[in-house]
Amino acid sequence: SNSIAEVVVASDPLPSWNESSTKQQIIDFVTSTTTTGSPDFVPEADRIAVFDNDGTLWAEQPMYFQLIYAVDFIKKEASKHPDWQTQEPFKSVLSGDLSAVMKGGEKALLEMLMVSHAGMTTEEFGKSVNSWLQTATHPKTGKAYSQMIYQPMLELLEYLRANGYKTFIVSGGGIDFLRVFAEKVYGIPPYQVIGSSIKAKYDVVEGQPIITKLPEINFIDDKEGKPIAIHLHIGKRPVFAAGNSDGDYAMLEYTSKGDGPRFGMIIHHTDSLREYAYDRDSPIGRLEKGLDNAPMFNWSIVDMKTDWKVIFPFD
Amino acid sequence: SNSIAEVVVASDPLPSWNESSTKQQIIDFVTSTTTTGSPDFVPEADRIAVFDNDGTLWAEQPMYFQLIYAVDFIKKEASKHPDWQTQEPFKSVLSGDLSAVMKGGEKALLEMLMVSHAGMTTEEFGKSVNSWLQTATHPKTGKAYSQMIYQPMLELLEYLRANGYKTFIVSGGGIDFLRVFAEKVYGIPPYQVIGSSIKAKYDVVEGQPIITKLPEINFIDDKEGKPIAIHLHIGKRPVFAAGNSDGDYAMLEYTSKGDGPRFGMIIHHTDSLREYAYDRDSPIGRLEKGLDNAPMFNWSIVDMKTDWKVIFPFD
Ligand SMILES: [Ca+2]
Ligand SMILES: [Ca+2]
């Protein structure tokens, strides 16, 4: 029978990755952790790989897509809420003045999220997101948001799974929002999706159980929240982690400091032509500490411009 | 190639179950939901089965085993806490007067749980539970608690998994406590274990990431909390649910009211000789509403005395 290394040679598992040292590091890691007898062998039960979503698996510029969903939801529902015409942050959302919305800070964002994510059943919310995903398009590419995913990362997810890794999303985005597309788009089932959440309640209405989303934060899955959520939902320390911003620093650190072989990956947005270029000064996906300390942890920095042959599936 | 039905006939997947209608209902359900072309076929991605733990997968008398762990922990640590000699509920725990502890109600139980579950890292807690599991024994059988598991349910878990079902634990017990033994004892990996939890925090101490358990409730996975936790952790409505008390009523109802084929199972403790007999009046594992409404939902009541050939693996 063929060893995994031979199969890898026979057919390139990462065709959208250029032949760089980054690609070689990934293949070396997967080969050494899955080859029986290798000193770095990891039992299949411990092959846990975690991925941030915004800016790691799909794009996040010019604004988090979930926030664009909230804006579009508010516009769609405005006729039912005449008070929004005069009430911030809705007034600015409706007049298209997003910089004014941003000036409202976290409170304004929270109000937008609560209005567009709470006060409905989980089924209603899922349907609403799904219908938005089928009609809304990205302002720069004109493509559906579910196509704004990184082809090289899809190949990486598939490559890891083909080698016995379980792939999880660990995102600051909303867990119910992510689950609407994660299975179809990334091949990641809902029970392997971890995200931020609002509280919910269970009721039986006319004999039918419903779960209603409440306007109250349950958990923010960002920064130090990521290892906490990994512990709560997965219960094992990952051996592979990928992120793109300092919001992923704790998750990468938690992963890398485990015993035995570990892989930490940072997606560095360096391609202003094919995607966007941003890092230290970006309000979205700010990456500073991660870049500075990557050598100390031996994290692989993926240079999107030079490491990736294509970025999006439609490229 | 053989159909699943033929394989089932060829070798009994549930040898510890008597040839009763309950056993036949299980086999009929698994066969009809996994046979291609069957009107009740369920795609593999939707084959989610959830199991309560205490009283459903392992015993819960004369007291929840996790509470026995807390008692033993307090006794073991007492020399470091001289104040416990005079302070309730610890004083009564140390003098062995558990009925006095119970009179302290929820507050006393919570204090016992916090002292024995918080203020330590997740790794320290895991080691402590593991070492307890290897030494403590059940007062009635003299066996280790990890042997007080129901052999027929082990077979059911295995049978479901062999047919493409994912098996999850959804327990009122502590999620970190359950995970210490769930993988080894039930074959259920930590990311398929859902339970009650206390809050936690992430720190880096001398370069090493640690997660510390905090003395504050995060989530109680009981009653209406069970469907909420299923939604949060699994994100799909189960098609199969098993429980043993009214704490499982909402989970069973949520499962049964979904579209398409559904299986709800209630373990009825009817065997005072081989195990324990209790239901409507029991302070532990009280089962009243579930018994009354089982016919309405078409739930299968497992009569432990007549449906199970053996109860424990050591029988
Ligand atoms: Ca990100
Ligand atoms: Ca129970």
Side-chain angles (χ1 to χ4, degrees):
Chain A
S1 71
N2 292 333
S3 75
I4 284 162
E6 284 166 332
V7 173
V8 164
V9 170
S11 76
D12 185 352
L14 302 171
S16 300
W17 292 70
N18 286 317
E19 301 303 323
S20 65
S21 63
T22 313
K23 177 173 180 173
Q24 198 54 53
Q25 284 161 15
I26 298 169
I27 291 176
D28 288 350
F29 178 82
V30 171
T31 306
S32 70
T33 55
T34 58
T35 303
T36 316
S38 152
D40 283 344
F41 181 75
V42 174
E44 194 160 335
D46 295 330
R47 293 183 202 157
I48 304 290
V50 290
F51 290 81
D52 169 59
N53 183 51
D54 296 308
T56 298
L57 296 180
W58 77 357
E60 61 182 349
Q61 300 285 2
M63 192 163 57
Y64 295 123
F65 297 172
Q66 191 176 353
L67 205 53
I68 300 178
Y69 167 75
V71 166
D72 289 351
F73 182 92
I74 290 165
K75 289 179 179 167
K76 182 167 69 75
E77 298 287 307
S79 63
K80 297 178 202 160
H81 301 270
D83 49 314
W84 287 356
Q85 300 294 336
T86 53
Q87 188 190 324
E88 290 295 0
F90 308 105
K91 188 184 164 206
S92 296
V93 170
L94 294 175
S95 68
D97 187 357
L98 288 180
S99 65
V101 175
M102 293 306 159
K103 277 180 198 141
E106 216 167 84
K107 185 170 169 287
L109 291 178
L110 204 60
E111 280 188 67
M112 287 171 64
L113 286 174
M114 287 312 176
V115 146
S116 55
H117 289 65
M120 61 191 100
T121 69
T122 50
E123 286 185 10
E124 287 163 349
F125 178 72
K127 274 181 200 163
S128 174
V129 174
N130 200 38
S131 121
W132 176 79
L133 280 172
Q134 283 170 21
T135 52
T137 54
H138 188 269
K140 180 170 169 178
T141 65
K143 301 287 181 181
Y145 290 102
S146 58
Q147 291 182 272
M148 298 294 295
I149 53 180
Y150 303 135
Q151 176 63 27
M153 296 305 278
L154 294 182
E155 294 167 7
L156 175 57
L157 288 170
E158 190 47 56
Y159 176 49
L160 287 167
R161 290 193 291 256
N163 284 281
Y165 277 87
K166 286 240 170 341
T167 53
F168 289 81
I169 289 176
V170 180
S171 168
I175 191 165
D176 285 341
F177 184 84
L178 290 156
R179 282 169 170 164
V180 175
F181 57 91
E183 188 152 32
K184 199 157 77 177
V185 168
Y186 303 131
I188 298 181
Y191 44 85
Q192 287 167 214
V193 172
I194 304 168
S196 297
S197 54
I198 54 180
K199 291 203 184 288
K201 73 182 169 93
Y202 177 80
D203 292 299
V204 179
V205 176
E206 293 174 5
Q208 290 307 316
I210 54 168
I211 294 176
T212 307
K213 292 164 70 68
L214 302 176
E216 188 187 343
I217 295 286
N218 180 55
F219 187 79
I220 303 290
D221 188 28
D222 195 27
K223 302 194 178 76
E224 283 73 21
K226 290 204 173 194
I228 298 294
I230 287 170
H231 180 72
L232 183 66
H233 286 257
I234 304 179
K236 284 194 182 191
R237 199 190 284 217
V239 295
F240 186 108
N244 78 302
S245 80
D246 287 348
D248 302 310
Y249 189 89
M251 172 172 88
L252 284 159
E253 176 183 56
Y254 178 60
T255 299
S256 298
K257 283 288 189 172
D259 294 333
R262 305 279 158 163
F263 200 100
M265 171 182 283
I266 293 180
I267 308 298
H268 191 191
H269 292 262
T270 51
D271 197 324
S272 60
L273 273 181
R274 295 186 298 169
E275 205 236 6
Y276 296 91
Y278 59 97
D279 47 33
R280 293 174 187 274
D281 300 320
S282 175
I284 291 171
R286 177 189 168 97
L287 174 65
E288 184 162 36
K289 207 175 158 193
L291 278 181
D292 291 342
N293 292 346
M296 186 172 91
F297 289 103
N298 200 27
W299 291 335
S300 286
I301 308 282
V302 174
D303 183 327
M304 286 175 73
K305 191 172 176 178
T306 61
D307 280 326
W308 287 359
K309 229 175 272 181
V310 297
I311 291 189
F312 300 113
F314 53 80
D315 277 348
Chain B
S1 70
N2 292 333
S3 75
I4 285 161
E6 284 166 333
V7 173
V8 165
V9 170
S11 75
D12 185 352
L14 302 172
S16 299
W17 292 69
N18 285 316
E19 301 303 324
S20 66
S21 63
T22 313
K23 177 172 179 174
Q24 198 54 52
Q25 284 161 15
I26 298 170
I27 291 175
D28 288 349
F29 179 82
V30 171
T31 305
S32 70
T33 55
T34 58
T35 303
T36 316
S38 152
D40 282 344
F41 181 75
V42 174
E44 194 160 336
D46 295 330
R47 293 183 201 157
I48 305 290
V50 290
F51 290 80
D52 169 58
N53 184 51
D54 296 308
T56 298
L57 295 180
W58 77 356
E60 61 182 349
Q61 299 284 1
M63 192 162 58
Y64 295 124
F65 296 173
Q66 191 176 353
L67 205 53
I68 301 178
Y69 166 76
V71 166
D72 289 351
F73 181 92
I74 289 165
K75 288 179 179 167
K76 183 167 68 75
E77 298 287 307
S79 63
K80 297 178 200 159
H81 301 270
D83 49 315
W84 287 357
Q85 300 295 336
T86 53
Q87 186 190 324
E88 291 294 2
F90 308 106
K91 186 183 166 209
S92 295
V93 171
L94 294 175
S95 69
D97 187 357
L98 288 182
S99 65
V101 174
M102 293 305 158
K103 278 181 198 137
E106 216 166 85
K107 185 171 169 288
L109 291 178
L110 203 61
E111 281 188 67
M112 287 172 64
L113 285 175
M114 287 310 175
V115 146
S116 55
H117 289 66
M120 62 192 98
T121 68
T122 51
E123 286 187 10
E124 287 163 350
F125 178 73
K127 274 182 198 160
S128 174
V129 174
N130 200 38
S131 121
W132 176 79
L133 279 172
Q134 283 171 19
T135 51
T137 54
H138 189 270
K140 180 170 170 177
T141 65
K143 301 287 181 181
Y145 290 101
S146 58
Q147 291 182 271
M148 299 294 294
I149 53 180
Y150 304 135
Q151 176 64 27
M153 296 305 278
L154 293 182
E155 293 167 7
L156 175 57
L157 288 170
E158 189 48 55
Y159 177 48
L160 286 167
R161 290 193 291 255
N163 284 280
Y165 277 86
K166 286 242 168 346
T167 54
F168 289 80
I169 290 176
V170 180
S171 169
I175 191 165
D176 286 341
F177 184 84
L178 290 156
R179 282 170 170 164
V180 175
F181 57 91
E183 188 152 31
K184 199 157 78 178
V185 169
Y186 304 132
I188 297 181
Y191 44 86
Q192 288 168 214
V193 172
I194 304 168
S196 297
S197 56
I198 54 180
K199 291 202 183 289
K201 73 183 168 97
Y202 177 80
D203 292 300
V204 179
V205 176
E206 294 174 6
Q208 291 306 315
I210 54 169
I211 295 177
T212 307
K213 291 164 72 68
L214 302 176
E216 188 187 344
I217 295 287
N218 180 56
F219 188 78
I220 303 291
D221 187 28
D222 196 27
K223 301 193 178 76
E224 282 72 24
K226 291 203 174 195
I228 298 293
I230 287 170
H231 180 73
L232 183 66
H233 286 257
I234 304 179
K236 285 194 180 190
R237 199 190 284 217
V239 295
F240 186 107
N244 78 301
S245 81
D246 287 348
D248 302 310
Y249 190 88
M251 172 172 87
L252 284 158
E253 176 184 55
Y254 178 60
T255 299
S256 297
K257 283 287 188 173
D259 293 332
R262 306 280 156 162
F263 200 99
M265 171 182 284
I266 292 180
I267 308 299
H268 192 191
H269 291 263
T270 51
D271 196 323
S272 61
L273 273 180
R274 296 186 299 169
E275 206 236 5
Y276 296 90
Y278 58 99
D279 47 33
R280 293 173 188 274
D281 301 320
S282 175
I284 291 171
R286 177 190 168 95
L287 174 66
E288 185 163 36
K289 206 175 159 193
L291 280 181
D292 291 341
N293 293 345
M296 186 173 90
F297 289 104
N298 201 27
W299 291 335
S300 286
I301 307 283
V302 174
D303 183 328
M304 287 175 72
K305 191 171 176 178
T306 60
D307 280 327
W308 287 0
K309 228 175 270 181
V310 297
I311 291 190
F312 300 113
F314 52 80
D315 276 346

